[in-house]
Amino acid sequence: MAIISMSAIALVICVQLKGDGTSFQAAIVLFIAGIAASSASLAPVILKSKIFTRWQTQAMTLGLGCGVGVSAICTLLLLDLQLSSL
């Protein structure tokens, strides 16, 4: 979960540094920041929890990981479109 959170934070930084501030950029940054906050807040809970079973932990990790992956693809496409429009 911590790796997912750090990857999402790196995506936010990359978009802010390389992007030119078009309308979709703010939406993508907000979505990625939400995933980063969710995974960062769940990391300590999952590590020390006896409430969650293994399949629940795997489902949360898979869901948040796929969300970051899809966000990374959207980010790369957004930055490519911004670069090609120059």
Side-chain angles (χ1 to χ4, degrees):
M1 295 302 271
I3 293 171
I4 293 171
S5 179
M6 289 186 293
S7 300
I9 292 169
L11 279 172
V12 169
I13 292 170
C14 179
V15 170
Q16 290 298 326
L17 291 177
K18 300 289 182 181
D20 63 359
T22 59
S23 60
F24 287 121
Q25 183 174 338
I28 289 176
V29 168
L30 185 64
F31 182 73
I32 297 171
I35 292 175
S38 297
S39 60
S41 65
L42 282 174
V45 173
I46 288 176
L47 288 175
K48 297 179 182 179
S49 176
K50 295 184 188 223
I51 297 171
F52 294 121
T53 60
R54 190 175 78 189
W55 72 268
Q56 290 171 331
T57 302
Q58 289 175 349
M60 285 186 273
T61 304
L62 183 64
L64 289 170
C66 289
V68 170
V70 168
S71 298
I73 292 170
C74 290
T75 300
L76 290 174
L77 290 174
L78 175 79
L79 293 176
D80 186 42
L81 287 172
Q82 288 175 354
L83 190 67
S84 67
S85 69
L86 293 175

